[in-house]
Amino acid sequence: MPEPIAAHSIPTPVAPPPDILRCAYMELVVTDLAASRNFYVDVLGLVVTEEDAEAVYLRSIEEFIHHNLVLRQGPVAAVAAFSYRVRSPEELDRAVAFYTELGCEVRRAPEGFTRGIGDSVRVIDPLGFPYEFFYDVQHVERLAWRYDLHTPGALVRLDHFNQVTPDVPRAVKFMEDLGFRVTEDIQDAEGTTYAAWLRRKPTVHDTAMTGGDGPRMHHVAFATHEKHNIIAICDKLGALRLSDRIERGPGRHGVSNAFYLYLRDPDGHRVEIYTQDYWTGDPDNPVVTWDVHDNQRRDWWGNPVVPSWYTEASPVLDLDGVPQPVVARTDTSEMAVTIGADGFSYTRPEDASRAQDDADVLPSWKQGEYKLGHQL
Amino acid sequence: MPEPIAAHSIPTPVAPPPDILRCAYMELVVTDLAASRNFYVDVLGLVVTEEDAEAVYLRSIEEFIHHNLVLRQGPVAAVAAFSYRVRSPEELDRAVAFYTELGCEVRRAPEGFTRGIGDSVRVIDPLGFPYEFFYDVQHVERLAWRYDLHTPGALVRLDHFNQVTPDVPRAVKFMEDLGFRVTEDIQDAEGTTYAAWLRRKPTVHDTAMTGGDGPRMHHVAFATHEKHNIIAICDKLGALRLSDRIERGPGRHGVSNAFYLYLRDPDGHRVEIYTQDYWTGDPDNPVVTWDVHDNQRRDWWGNPVVPSWYTEASPVLDLDGVPQPVVARTDTSEMAVTIGADGFSYTRPEDASRAQDDADVLPSWKQGEYKLGHQL
Amino acid sequence: MPEPIAAHSIPTPVAPPPDILRCAYMELVVTDLAASRNFYVDVLGLVVTEEDAEAVYLRSIEEFIHHNLVLRQGPVAAVAAFSYRVRSPEELDRAVAFYTELGCEVRRAPEGFTRGIGDSVRVIDPLGFPYEFFYDVQHVERLAWRYDLHTPGALVRLDHFNQVTPDVPRAVKFMEDLGFRVTEDIQDAEGTTYAAWLRRKPTVHDTAMTGGDGPRMHHVAFATHEKHNIIAICDKLGALRLSDRIERGPGRHGVSNAFYLYLRDPDGHRVEIYTQDYWTGDPDNPVVTWDVHDNQRRDWWGNPVVPSWYTEASPVLDLDGVPQPVVARTDTSEMAVTIGADGFSYTRPEDASRAQDDADVLPSWKQGEYKLGHQL
Amino acid sequence: MPEPIAAHSIPTPVAPPPDILRCAYMELVVTDLAASRNFYVDVLGLVVTEEDAEAVYLRSIEEFIHHNLVLRQGPVAAVAAFSYRVRSPEELDRAVAFYTELGCEVRRAPEGFTRGIGDSVRVIDPLGFPYEFFYDVQHVERLAWRYDLHTPGALVRLDHFNQVTPDVPRAVKFMEDLGFRVTEDIQDAEGTTYAAWLRRKPTVHDTAMTGGDGPRMHHVAFATHEKHNIIAICDKLGALRLSDRIERGPGRHGVSNAFYLYLRDPDGHRVEIYTQDYWTGDPDNPVVTWDVHDNQRRDWWGNPVVPSWYTEASPVLDLDGVPQPVVARTDTSEMAVTIGADGFSYTRPEDASRAQDDADVLPSWKQGEYKLGHQL
């Protein structure tokens, strides 16, 4: 039986949500812009649309809008915005009304918050994440046909975001109010949801909600055309003696059925490379629910998930650039956390002895002790 | 300068069009059901959802609706329906109103025209094509994770249709009224459109309009995940000594940027295998216009297009199963046809000496002389 | 400084070695023939050349000789023969003379030890391994062009064997006397060799010597054409809910530069799937020596090696079918074994605290405690 | 019945042939060194080992010897040497004796004929081709692991040469005397050989003999790892608007079973890109004989062969750099040439009406009219 959605749930606004088209870009704060530029441009092959001393604007090979990733120099590695494109300029008014009704902080920038983008709205959503919405954007050359510029590991599209949040059912309910649909999720026998994949565009997701102390950013994902492109990225990292940037994979996901790889950038921000999920655009698209005890849900080949993948994530910023405080995963009776012998946290005490790869709740984040990043 | 859309244009209905989700299936009439089943099931690996003495219902690996292709035994090889899924059951009423206002023949089958599908509408559209719309459909297992059943050339999705019509600008204008958007087209310096790709789902197309005597069906296309899957189909056809079923390719399209292969089934119906076009779902997605003289537009590698690809296509049926008469490509001053030394028809006399691969108008179809099919 | 090759080294025979062409087949004793047949035929797609109640003879897609693998029902999972093809029938006399001079047990079967093979010699070599040599063999259809029979994970060639032996330098010296050449090896700063790859045919190896308690068989390897073929095997195992058969990988080797996957068969015999190493056929082919501390030597992407890969291996049989006793890795001063906190054995005490993936010596095999196999 | 090998056959020398290891490099004379360098380096990604004003020395990614291709500026596009590596320095003496006995012109250069190579022998062989043999060579870095330098279409090995000669059976007999073995050939029902594939290293070939006016060079072939690498080359040529460099393919060969592509360099020299043939190293490796009427022998998918592929080839030079005269394909009764309506020459009059793709004899080369090269 699913847990009751109680007083802690976010009310559904009367105002309709903005019509969101797709995840469009992430703004990442990085502590060493040159190092990050090297990683995303020289290693991963993202294309520089524009850059200056403070920021680099990058896009994927098949993109025609100004950017899919902004790297901005800053004092602490964090996420400044999860940005979505909406279907028309008018949707920005809807975004303002929707979040204002929820009591969220809302700011509008008629000239845009970044280069290349016009009228935009940024909010801190009820889950604590900095979300952006925009329609106006500068068009740039779609490099799909420019095979002379493609690398063996060419990244062709921004595919999705992944967010860490302490109460997944609460987050899912809110995202559904925002117009997202669940395509897949992970549950236990009691119907508790440990993670959910949510889409606007007709792929498996534009974003996912992963249970853990939050708000934090788990990863941003780019797509390649084929599996060998992902392997080529690993091979290149090996050649550059940067194999430590490979955190997990490559492998095949159970959830989404995609072939994947997880990397960590110089600041520890996690980047997924992803290919070949499936069409989900029908209104009655069947939701796939995975058992949290199914060890093929996270990796179809049963390969174990490295602990850092469960424990580490990036802070997110408020609209003034201050890191958002992280709320511990809620300890209602359904969601209580027990630390297992493996160092992982579990929602049910009896689960604490389960193997690591049964863990789908990120362990409790200890304020003060948390150190973002992977030892590179 | 584009040709004027004159008296011959189809008026825009006052009634709004149905909200079409995606191309969903084609109903093909075949003259030897066993031979066709062998081709689509044993050779191409489509999955049989259901079958009886008169028909076989097939789906692709990642499909969750009952079928993407119906093979129905009949006296003449032809297309009985281009079928689209709409966003909700209510859209069928809109379809009825839209086509009724246009004076089209409209039929509704509350129990569906084929197995596995419920309430449906079929029409003969103003261009002469049998179109179907439905929402209700039986769900079946999505075999995406059933890798034990996948073949080296696994077809994972129905991707698109392609229609032959004598007046492409007229057809495009009508399809735009129906809610489609152009993603790419082929034009000459005067702005005459020779072919256009039109989408509802956010890929390059759900259907395309190719200039030629029509209405006829040029091809139906299925997608694979990777390029090697398409090569595997060619290799298997070679091993089965069925290489004559390969009509054109494999190659890389200029238009759509997809990797492709064209096959001919036992009746001569053309099937494309297709992979890796790009996202087109933004409202301001840039339209790519190719010059009809650019020999990389049809094949990015400049390989010539075999004449049969331009000359042959399948008849389409009316709602009583009678082949639709074929209208010759219109000979207005903009669209006059001259037969070149190469047997191709050209819209401008001075083009008649151009090389074959500049031809993007199908040659005039001679009633009585036309023989569907490829010598297999 | 390399360790001295002392009294324990095997003397070089006066008799010349047989001219070995390539590794040709392995004879595996399996405890459940039906289960093994299912794994190698139904899951991996090897082709049955012939079979009876006691044995199944299998070959890879591009092979033209009778078999590359014999599965023989028996009481204990073990290896009955590492079999090599020689260049001519006369080489068998040389094999007899060579091993006889070394005091080895030598048997000759003019009708062959298995079906499909004629005059053959089997020996227990000075390292304790059952080796076979043959020239006469029945030819069968090479299925290279039979793409109608290929599966997504088609195994096209037998590539190599891998043997576990307690004294790698001693084994290498002997194999060089037998006419093999080292292509790559793993050494520490003192020049101690932990593992070596040895070839007759011009690939990286026909067999490799891995340090550990021996004689045991580490793995037998089959090649695919491309990397996606290996991924397809993983995906199929996932679909069959046999993901536990995946022990390690897929990944990219440092040594050999090949893309790899390790599986465990129903008896725990290890099978590698392998693709894309390089030409080594020049007499002055450069030997690549990897530092035992280089964590990219075993996996180019730095992914850790699962402990079972270091600890488990298959017994080998003597010529009467009795398992060979296993000799503990020698404890000369150069080769002393210290058990690290990680459960691994190390040759130098100071290494015992090193991370697991620095281990290239298999831990001491404890007679009586050893249980072949992976928990499936 | 095979044609008698008559007085025109080349006598078998008493002197043994040199032990040839593999085809090693081709020396190409090019008329515009900068244009050729651009093609082979910037487009195809071969690696520059060394260069000066007159020549560029190139190697493939997995090569460890100084070069696989020399581009040398000269007045006429031609081939200066087909160069093979032999197994030891002593083999050069054998080469001298072997060709001297045959009355061939033989020159020896103790310092080598090109940079990076030591003691070498060049001859004009009895078929009129400039052949080189060497053992001493400078080692350079094998870039196999340098994935940071690999391109999407990375060429990893020199695979083979292909030579045009008027009397294929005569050429095959001579090459067998030189120690080569036939792996595949094309014959008609009378046993006339139209083309043959010959190997030293255990792949399908180090060189092939194609029937036509000769001596001429048909192509030089480099290998990739996978099929998508070949497609990437086509895509890049399209992006660079160099699609006219693609002469034939990509496709699957019947002969060799390899996936292939034929390009023409700026001088019209033909380059094949090739991947995935099979092991041929067993002494009793089965020879595959294809029927000249089998339209899948040249392309497994039955795609027609473009006429230029049959008609055009590069001149070869004598040891003084003068183009060798071309001998018309011999008109013995077995080999008489009839010109078909298709412009092709046929050995039997009754074949002259056959379709183009039955042609496996290159048409008569008309002195004075012949223009090397493809219209680029």
Side-chain angles (χ1 to χ4, degrees):
Chain A
M1 204 181 67
E3 74 276 18
I5 296 169
H8 66 289
S9 80
I10 300 158
T12 302
V14 174
D19 186 352
I20 296 171
L21 198 59
R22 56 166 172 138
C23 61
Y25 81 90
M26 183 174 279
E27 181 174 343
L28 279 180
V29 178
V30 300
T31 62
D32 180 340
L33 187 59
S36 293
R37 187 190 192 283
N38 173 265
F39 180 72
Y40 288 101
V41 177
D42 300 325
V43 179
L44 294 185
L46 287 175
V47 177
V48 178
T49 297
E50 192 174 348
E51 62 187 319
D52 57 30
E54 283 79 39
V56 183
Y57 299 82
L58 301 170
R59 71 183 192 275
S60 53
I61 289 289
E62 294 183 354
E63 186 56 83
F64 75 96
I65 66 170
H66 189 267
H67 56 258
N68 297 130
L69 187 68
V70 179
L71 305 175
R72 187 178 302 283
Q73 176 74 42
V76 57
V79 175
F82 298 77
S83 182
Y84 293 86
R85 196 168 192 214
V86 293
R87 195 169 297 276
S88 71
E90 294 69 38
E91 298 300 327
L92 295 190
D93 297 333
R94 291 187 180 225
V96 169
F98 180 86
Y99 286 99
T100 299
E101 180 178 343
L102 285 165
C104 298
E105 183 173 6
V106 175
R107 292 190 193 167
R108 187 158 184 168
E111 306 303 317
F113 293 95
T114 72
R115 293 195 184 196
I117 289 182
D119 190 13
S120 312
V121 169
R122 284 195 175 180
V123 306
I124 297 300
D125 80 5
L127 307 171
F129 292 95
Y131 259 43
E132 179 183 274
F133 304 96
F134 71 93
Y135 175 78
D136 289 331
V137 64
Q138 183 181 328
H139 287 205
V140 290
E141 185 186 359
R142 177 173 254 157
L143 299 169
W145 290 267
R146 291 296 303 278
Y147 291 100
D148 52 320
L149 303 179
H150 295 201
T151 59
L155 305 181
V156 298
R157 284 187 302 281
L158 175 72
D159 193 86
H160 63 264
F161 305 138
N162 187 305
Q163 304 170 241
V164 185
T165 190
D167 185 337
V168 172
R170 182 172 179 264
V172 169
K173 190 265 176 194
F174 169 68
M175 293 301 285
E176 289 177 330
D177 286 345
L178 187 57
F180 284 74
R181 287 171 175 276
V182 173
T183 57
E184 304 200 24
D185 60 16
I186 294 175
Q187 297 186 7
D188 62 19
E190 287 70 39
T192 301
T193 300
Y194 289 70
W197 284 255
L198 297 135
R199 68 111 183 154
R200 286 292 308 174
K201 70 178 177 337
T203 63
V204 169
H205 51 326
D206 285 277
T207 195
M209 290 293 166
T210 299
D213 299 351
R216 290 185 295 162
M217 185 277 283
H218 194 271
H219 64 261
V220 56
F222 288 89
T224 64
H225 276 145
E226 301 200 334
K227 295 180 286 289
H228 63 81
N229 300 120
I230 291 182
I231 293 167
I233 292 170
C234 296
D235 289 338
K236 184 174 180 181
L237 287 165
L240 295 170
R241 288 285 162 179
L242 291 172
S243 63
D244 283 352
R245 297 234 184 273
I246 301 174
E247 183 188 38
R248 177 184 160 201
R252 169 77 64 190
H253 283 308
V255 175
S256 82
N257 203 30
F259 190 73
Y260 73 86
L261 171 71
Y262 291 97
L263 305 176
R264 302 298 291 272
D265 85 1
D267 278 297
H269 294 306
R270 186 178 290 107
V271 180
E272 184 178 11
I273 319 295
Y274 180 95
T275 192
Q276 292 159 27
D277 60 3
Y278 57 90
W279 167 261
T280 61
D282 286 29
D284 54 347
N285 178 66
V287 175
V288 179
T289 292
W290 297 79
D291 184 332
V292 71
H293 299 282
D294 180 352
N295 81 335
Q296 291 187 194
R297 76 196 182 293
R298 289 284 188 187
D299 185 273
W300 185 242
W301 310 334
N303 282 334
V305 176
V306 65
S308 65
W309 192 89
Y310 278 114
T311 61
E312 299 179 6
S314 297
V316 300
L317 303 179
D318 69 16
L319 299 186
D320 296 313
V322 177
Q324 285 282 81
V326 169
V327 176
R329 189 160 165 74
T330 55
D331 60 353
T332 67
S333 57
E334 297 85 8
M335 306 291 282
V337 173
T338 301
I339 304 298
D342 55 359
F344 286 84
S345 55
Y346 293 96
T347 55
R348 299 180 308 171
E350 65 271 30
D351 289 342
S353 53
R354 277 187 293 130
Q356 159 225 324
D357 64 357
D358 281 338
D360 259 299
V361 185
L362 297 193
S364 191
W365 188 85
K366 290 182 190 59
Q367 197 84 29
E369 288 175 36
Y370 182 78
K371 240 183 61 205
L372 176 69
H374 183 59
Q375 304 314 317
L376 300 177
Chain B
M1 202 182 66
E3 75 276 17
I5 297 169
H8 65 289
S9 81
I10 300 157
T12 303
V14 174
D19 186 351
I20 296 171
L21 197 59
R22 57 166 173 138
C23 61
Y25 81 90
M26 183 175 279
E27 181 173 345
L28 279 180
V29 179
V30 299
T31 61
D32 181 339
L33 187 60
S36 293
R37 187 189 192 284
N38 172 265
F39 180 72
Y40 287 102
V41 177
D42 301 326
V43 178
L44 293 184
L46 287 175
V47 177
V48 178
T49 298
E50 193 176 347
E51 63 185 318
D52 57 29
E54 282 80 38
V56 183
Y57 299 81
L58 301 171
R59 71 183 191 277
S60 52
I61 289 288
E62 294 183 352
E63 187 55 83
F64 74 96
I65 66 170
H66 189 268
H67 56 257
N68 298 128
L69 188 68
V70 179
L71 306 175
R72 187 177 303 284
Q73 175 73 43
V76 58
V79 175
F82 298 77
S83 181
Y84 294 85
R85 195 167 193 216
V86 293
R87 195 170 297 276
S88 71
E90 295 68 39
E91 299 300 329
L92 296 191
D93 297 333
R94 291 187 180 225
V96 169
F98 180 85
Y99 286 99
T100 299
E101 181 178 342
L102 284 165
C104 296
E105 183 174 7
V106 176
R107 291 191 195 169
R108 187 158 185 170
E111 307 304 317
F113 293 96
T114 70
R115 293 197 185 194
I117 289 182
D119 191 14
S120 312
V121 170
R122 284 195 176 181
V123 306
I124 297 300
D125 79 5
L127 307 171
F129 292 96
Y131 259 43
E132 180 183 273
F133 305 96
F134 72 92
Y135 176 78
D136 288 331
V137 65
Q138 184 181 329
H139 287 206
V140 290
E141 185 186 0
R142 178 174 253 157
L143 299 169
W145 290 266
R146 291 295 304 277
Y147 290 100
D148 52 320
L149 303 180
H150 295 202
T151 59
L155 304 181
V156 297
R157 285 188 302 280
L158 174 72
D159 194 85
H160 63 263
F161 306 138
N162 188 306
Q163 304 170 242
V164 185
T165 190
D167 185 339
V168 171
R170 182 173 180 263
V172 168
K173 191 266 177 192
F174 169 68
M175 293 302 284
E176 289 178 329
D177 286 345
L178 186 58
F180 284 73
R181 285 171 175 277
V182 173
T183 57
E184 303 200 24
D185 59 16
I186 295 174
Q187 298 186 8
D188 62 19
E190 285 72 38
T192 301
T193 301
Y194 289 71
W197 284 256
L198 298 135
R199 68 111 184 155
R200 285 293 307 174
K201 70 179 178 336
T203 64
V204 170
H205 50 328
D206 285 276
T207 195
M209 291 293 167
T210 300
D213 299 351
R216 289 186 295 161
M217 187 276 286
H218 194 270
H219 64 262
V220 55
F222 289 89
T224 64
H225 276 145
E226 302 200 333
K227 295 180 286 288
H228 64 80
N229 300 121
I230 291 182
I231 292 167
I233 292 170
C234 297
D235 289 337
K236 183 174 180 181
L237 287 164
L240 296 171
R241 288 285 162 179
L242 290 172
S243 64
D244 283 351
R245 297 234 183 273
I246 300 172
E247 183 188 37
R248 176 185 161 201
R252 170 77 64 190
H253 283 309
V255 175
S256 82
N257 203 29
F259 190 73
Y260 73 85
L261 171 71
Y262 291 98
L263 305 176
R264 301 298 290 273
D265 85 1
D267 278 298
H269 294 307
R270 187 179 289 106
V271 180
E272 183 178 12
I273 319 293
Y274 180 96
T275 193
Q276 294 160 26
D277 60 3
Y278 58 90
W279 167 262
T280 62
D282 286 29
D284 54 345
N285 179 65
V287 175
V288 180
T289 292
W290 298 79
D291 184 331
V292 72
H293 298 282
D294 179 353
N295 80 335
Q296 293 187 192
R297 76 197 183 294
R298 290 285 188 186
D299 184 273
W300 185 242
W301 310 335
N303 282 333
V305 176
V306 64
S308 65
W309 191 88
Y310 277 114
T311 61
E312 300 179 8
S314 297
V316 300
L317 302 180
D318 69 16
L319 299 186
D320 296 313
V322 177
Q324 286 280 82
V326 169
V327 176
R329 190 161 163 75
T330 54
D331 61 354
T332 66
S333 58
E334 298 85 7
M335 304 291 282
V337 173
T338 301
I339 305 297
D342 56 359
F344 287 83
S345 56
Y346 294 95
T347 55
R348 298 180 309 173
E350 65 270 30
D351 290 341
S353 53
R354 276 189 291 132
Q356 160 226 324
D357 65 357
D358 282 338
D360 260 299
V361 184
L362 298 194
S364 191
W365 187 86
K366 291 181 189 59
Q367 196 84 30
E369 288 176 36
Y370 182 77
K371 240 183 59 202
L372 176 67
H374 184 58
Q375 303 314 315
L376 299 176
Chain C
M1 203 181 67
E3 74 278 18
I5 295 169
H8 66 287
S9 81
I10 301 158
T12 302
V14 174
D19 186 352
I20 296 171
L21 198 58
R22 57 164 171 139
C23 60
Y25 81 90
M26 182 174 280
E27 181 174 344
L28 279 180
V29 179
V30 299
T31 61
D32 180 340
L33 187 59
S36 293
R37 187 190 193 284
N38 172 265
F39 180 72
Y40 288 101
V41 178
D42 300 325
V43 179
L44 293 185
L46 287 174
V47 177
V48 178
T49 297
E50 192 176 349
E51 63 185 319
D52 56 29
E54 282 79 39
V56 182
Y57 298 82
L58 301 172
R59 71 183 192 276
S60 53
I61 289 288
E62 293 183 354
E63 186 55 83
F64 75 97
I65 66 170
H66 189 267
H67 56 257
N68 298 128
L69 187 68
V70 179
L71 305 176
R72 188 176 303 284
Q73 177 73 43
V76 57
V79 174
F82 297 77
S83 182
Y84 294 85
R85 195 166 193 215
V86 293
R87 195 169 297 276
S88 71
E90 294 69 38
E91 300 300 328
L92 296 190
D93 297 334
R94 293 186 180 225
V96 169
F98 181 86
Y99 286 99
T100 299
E101 180 177 344
L102 284 166
C104 297
E105 183 174 5
V106 176
R107 292 192 193 167
R108 187 158 184 170
E111 306 303 316
F113 293 95
T114 69
R115 293 194 185 196
I117 289 182
D119 191 13
S120 313
V121 170
R122 283 194 177 182
V123 306
I124 297 299
D125 80 5
L127 307 172
F129 292 96
Y131 259 42
E132 180 183 274
F133 304 96
F134 72 92
Y135 176 78
D136 288 330
V137 65
Q138 183 181 329
H139 287 205
V140 290
E141 185 186 0
R142 178 173 253 157
L143 299 170
W145 290 266
R146 292 295 303 277
Y147 291 100
D148 51 321
L149 303 179
H150 295 201
T151 58
L155 304 181
V156 298
R157 286 187 301 279
L158 174 72
D159 193 86
H160 63 263
F161 306 138
N162 188 304
Q163 304 170 241
V164 184
T165 190
D167 185 337
V168 171
R170 181 172 180 263
V172 168
K173 191 266 176 193
F174 168 68
M175 293 302 285
E176 289 177 331
D177 286 344
L178 186 58
F180 283 74
R181 287 170 175 277
V182 173
T183 57
E184 304 200 24
D185 59 16
I186 294 175
Q187 298 185 9
D188 61 21
E190 286 71 40
T192 301
T193 300
Y194 289 71
W197 284 256
L198 296 135
R199 69 112 183 153
R200 286 292 308 175
K201 70 179 178 333
T203 62
V204 170
H205 51 327
D206 286 276
T207 194
M209 291 293 167
T210 300
D213 299 352
R216 290 186 295 162
M217 185 277 284
H218 194 270
H219 64 260
V220 55
F222 289 89
T224 64
H225 276 146
E226 302 200 333
K227 295 180 286 290
H228 63 80
N229 300 119
I230 291 183
I231 293 167
I233 292 171
C234 297
D235 288 338
K236 184 175 179 179
L237 287 165
L240 296 170
R241 288 286 162 178
L242 292 172
S243 63
D244 283 351
R245 296 234 184 272
I246 300 173
E247 184 188 36
R248 177 185 160 200
R252 169 77 65 190
H253 282 310
V255 175
S256 83
N257 203 29
F259 190 74
Y260 73 87
L261 171 71
Y262 291 98
L263 305 177
R264 301 298 291 273
D265 85 0
D267 278 297
H269 294 306
R270 186 179 289 105
V271 181
E272 183 178 11
I273 318 294
Y274 180 96
T275 192
Q276 293 160 26
D277 60 4
Y278 57 90
W279 167 261
T280 62
D282 286 29
D284 55 347
N285 179 66
V287 175
V288 179
T289 292
W290 297 79
D291 184 331
V292 72
H293 299 282
D294 179 352
N295 80 335
Q296 292 188 191
R297 76 196 182 293
R298 290 284 188 186
D299 185 273
W300 186 242
W301 310 335
N303 282 333
V305 176
V306 65
S308 65
W309 191 89
Y310 278 113
T311 61
E312 300 179 6
S314 296
V316 299
L317 302 180
D318 69 16
L319 299 186
D320 296 313
V322 178
Q324 287 281 81
V326 169
V327 176
R329 189 160 165 74
T330 55
D331 60 353
T332 67
S333 58
E334 298 84 7
M335 305 291 282
V337 172
T338 301
I339 305 296
D342 56 359
F344 286 83
S345 55
Y346 293 96
T347 56
R348 298 180 308 172
E350 64 271 31
D351 289 342
S353 53
R354 277 189 291 131
Q356 159 225 325
D357 64 358
D358 281 339
D360 259 299
V361 185
L362 297 194
S364 191
W365 187 86
K366 291 180 190 58
Q367 196 84 31
E369 287 176 36
Y370 182 77
K371 236 181 66 203
L372 176 68
H374 182 59
Q375 304 313 316
L376 299 176
Chain D
M1 203 182 65
E3 75 276 20
I5 296 170
H8 65 288
S9 81
I10 300 157
T12 303
V14 174
D19 186 352
I20 296 171
L21 198 60
R22 57 166 171 137
C23 61
Y25 81 90
M26 182 174 280
E27 181 173 346
L28 279 181
V29 178
V30 300
T31 60
D32 180 340
L33 187 58
S36 293
R37 187 189 192 285
N38 172 264
F39 180 72
Y40 288 102
V41 178
D42 301 325
V43 179
L44 292 185
L46 287 174
V47 177
V48 179
T49 297
E50 193 175 349
E51 62 186 319
D52 57 30
E54 282 79 39
V56 182
Y57 299 81
L58 300 171
R59 71 183 192 275
S60 53
I61 290 288
E62 294 183 353
E63 188 55 84
F64 75 96
I65 66 170
H66 188 268
H67 56 257
N68 298 128
L69 187 68
V70 178
L71 306 176
R72 188 177 304 283
Q73 177 73 43
V76 58
V79 175
F82 298 77
S83 182
Y84 294 85
R85 196 168 191 215
V86 293
R87 196 170 296 277
S88 71
E90 295 68 39
E91 299 300 328
L92 296 191
D93 297 333
R94 292 186 180 227
V96 168
F98 181 86
Y99 287 100
T100 299
E101 181 177 344
L102 284 166
C104 296
E105 183 173 7
V106 176
R107 292 191 193 167
R108 188 159 184 168
E111 306 303 317
F113 293 96
T114 70
R115 293 196 184 194
I117 289 181
D119 191 13
S120 313
V121 169
R122 283 195 176 180
V123 306
I124 297 299
D125 80 5
L127 306 172
F129 292 95
Y131 259 43
E132 180 183 275
F133 304 95
F134 72 92
Y135 176 79
D136 288 330
V137 65
Q138 183 180 330
H139 288 206
V140 289
E141 185 186 359
R142 179 173 252 158
L143 299 169
W145 289 268
R146 292 295 304 277
Y147 291 100
D148 51 321
L149 303 179
H150 295 202
T151 58
L155 304 181
V156 298
R157 285 188 301 279
L158 175 72
D159 193 86
H160 63 263
F161 306 138
N162 188 304
Q163 304 170 242
V164 185
T165 191
D167 185 337
V168 171
R170 180 172 181 265
V172 168
K173 191 265 177 194
F174 168 68
M175 293 302 284
E176 288 177 331
D177 286 344
L178 186 57
F180 283 74
R181 287 171 174 277
V182 173
T183 57
E184 303 200 25
D185 60 15
I186 295 175
Q187 298 185 8
D188 62 19
E190 285 72 39
T192 301
T193 300
Y194 289 70
W197 284 256
L198 296 136
R199 68 112 184 154
R200 285 293 307 175
K201 71 178 178 332
T203 63
V204 170
H205 51 326
D206 285 277
T207 194
M209 291 293 168
T210 300
D213 299 353
R216 290 185 295 161
M217 186 277 285
H218 194 270
H219 65 261
V220 55
F222 289 89
T224 64
H225 276 146
E226 301 200 334
K227 296 180 285 289
H228 64 81
N229 300 120
I230 292 182
I231 292 167
I233 293 170
C234 296
D235 289 337
K236 184 174 179 181
L237 287 165
L240 296 170
R241 288 285 162 179
L242 291 172
S243 63
D244 283 351
R245 297 235 184 271
I246 300 173
E247 183 188 37
R248 176 185 160 201
R252 169 77 64 190
H253 282 309
V255 176
S256 83
N257 203 30
F259 190 73
Y260 73 86
L261 171 70
Y262 292 98
L263 304 176
R264 302 298 291 272
D265 85 0
D267 279 298
H269 294 307
R270 186 179 289 107
V271 181
E272 182 178 13
I273 320 294
Y274 179 96
T275 193
Q276 294 160 27
D277 60 4
Y278 57 90
W279 167 262
T280 61
D282 286 30
D284 54 346
N285 178 65
V287 175
V288 179
T289 292
W290 296 79
D291 184 332
V292 72
H293 298 283
D294 180 353
N295 80 335
Q296 292 188 191
R297 77 198 181 293
R298 289 284 188 188
D299 184 273
W300 185 242
W301 310 334
N303 282 333
V305 176
V306 64
S308 64
W309 191 89
Y310 277 113
T311 60
E312 300 179 7
S314 297
V316 299
L317 302 180
D318 69 16
L319 300 185
D320 296 313
V322 177
Q324 287 280 82
V326 169
V327 176
R329 189 160 164 76
T330 54
D331 60 354
T332 68
S333 58
E334 297 85 7
M335 304 292 284
V337 172
T338 301
I339 305 297
D342 56 0
F344 286 83
S345 56
Y346 293 95
T347 55
R348 299 180 307 174
E350 65 270 33
D351 289 342
S353 53
R354 278 188 290 131
Q356 158 223 327
D357 64 358
D358 281 339
D360 259 299
V361 184
L362 297 193
S364 191
W365 187 86
K366 290 182 189 58
Q367 197 85 29
E369 287 176 37
Y370 183 77
K371 238 182 62 195
L372 176 68
H374 184 58
Q375 304 313 315
L376 300 178

